[in-house]
Amino acid sequence: MRSSSLGLAAAVAVLLSGSFQQVAAQDVEQASQSKKGASLSTELRFRIFTTSYRWSSYRSGAMDLPDSGKRSLYVVPALGVRFYPKNSHGVLVDVDYRLDMDVDSGAEFLCIFDCPPQLWTEFVVAHAGYAYRYVIRPRESGRLAWTLTPHASVAAGASYTEGSALFNQREQSAVVGARFGLDIDLHINRFFMGWTLRYEILKHTKGSLRLSHFVSWNVIPVFAIGAVIGREVRAPVP
């Protein structure tokens, strides 16, 4: 009788131990999934070489300045970060520097060689705004994912205008405005590269320039790259 009771107690203990282990494993798995689902997805974004075209308007008192000062082509390096807390809605912050290539300083817009500098303007602009990251879901075992990200942001920064001795122009102005864009990215595990198309309008608070418009793009995707920290884009929260 005693041995039978001991055997029954041992069997119950084994069953309870197995149940506890299963429940603990499920709790760990659920906690892991919950942590993964709730984790922040952060994109570090680097634009090494993108192109931007500007066309501007002068204030009424600056009509003696050259038409070439109203437009230019820029090389734009940039650094930014985007935060997606739990879903596709995110916040973006970035800053860029727009280097005037001065290809249009001569009488002709397409003048590239032997064009004396006349009037050029460079910009440093920061942005903060909203981004919506739409993930095209890959296969479960796939390492690749495509994302489409429309975004909008406010812009603030400074412009620096300088001219040749003929115009003796040197100005600095704060600029404020807005930017709208679309990014298409190919994610390979935690790294990505892609294409961007953006439109931006900036108002100069002082100086000869009044409004500046920009259209920005890149053709080669490896010039717009980045990395994801935290939740991967190929495992979005439902």
Side-chain angles (χ1 to χ4, degrees):
M1 183 71 174
R2 183 177 180 182
S3 61
S4 177
S5 299
L6 291 175
L8 180 61
V12 171
V14 169
L15 289 175
L16 289 176
S17 176
S19 299
F20 286 145
Q21 289 179 358
Q22 183 177 4
V23 170
Q26 290 177 351
D27 290 342
V28 170
E29 182 179 1
Q30 290 175 358
S32 176
Q33 290 178 351
S34 176
K35 183 177 180 181
K36 183 178 181 180
S39 65
L40 183 69
S41 179
T42 303
E43 291 182 356
L44 303 179
R45 306 182 71 92
F46 307 91
R47 281 189 286 149
I48 303 171
F49 183 96
T50 53
T51 309
S52 183
Y53 176 71
R54 170 183 66 92
W55 68 98
S56 303
S57 59
Y58 284 143
R59 300 186 188 276
S60 57
M63 293 304 177
D64 57 333
L65 295 176
D67 285 342
S68 62
K70 296 180 181 180
R71 57 185 183 268
S72 195
L73 190 66
Y74 291 82
V75 172
V76 187
L79 175 65
V81 62
R82 295 180 184 178
F83 304 99
Y84 298 91
K86 292 184 179 181
N87 47 39
S88 299
H89 303 279
V91 176
L92 69 85
V93 179
D94 63 54
V95 61
D96 64 48
Y97 176 67
R98 303 174 194 184
L99 176 63
D100 194 339
M101 297 178 64
D102 202 25
V103 299
D104 56 344
S105 294
E108 298 293 334
F109 171 68
L110 294 178
C111 177
I112 298 178
F113 302 104
D114 298 326
C115 299
Q118 296 183 20
L119 192 67
W120 60 93
T121 304
E122 296 185 351
F123 295 79
V124 177
V125 184
H127 305 88
Y130 167 80
Y132 179 83
R133 184 175 67 184
Y134 175 73
V135 181
I136 302 175
R137 296 173 183 265
R139 296 178 179 177
E140 292 297 330
S141 60
R143 298 183 302 114
L144 307 180
W146 289 90
T147 60
L148 304 177
T149 309
H151 54 86
S153 57
V154 295
S159 65
Y160 306 89
T161 301
E162 188 173 356
S164 63
L166 179 62
F167 298 103
N168 194 25
Q169 192 83 4
R170 187 182 293 270
E171 297 176 345
Q172 180 176 339
S173 173
V175 294
V176 293
R179 184 187 68 186
F180 307 91
L182 174 66
D183 296 333
I184 303 174
D185 297 312
L186 172 62
H187 290 253
I188 306 172
N189 289 333
R190 292 190 176 274
F191 299 94
F192 63 87
M193 58 184 176
W195 298 264
T196 183
L197 179 63
R198 307 175 182 203
Y199 166 75
E200 185 170 356
I201 181 171
L202 295 175
K203 177 179 175 57
H204 299 255
T205 59
K206 61 181 180 179
S208 302
L209 294 174
R210 186 174 64 91
L211 287 175
S212 290
H213 305 261
F214 293 85
V215 173
S216 304
W217 70 93
N218 74 294
V219 177
I220 303 175
V222 294
F223 288 156
I225 60 175
V228 177
I229 300 175
R231 189 181 73 249
E232 298 182 33
V233 300
R234 59 191 182 95
V237 178

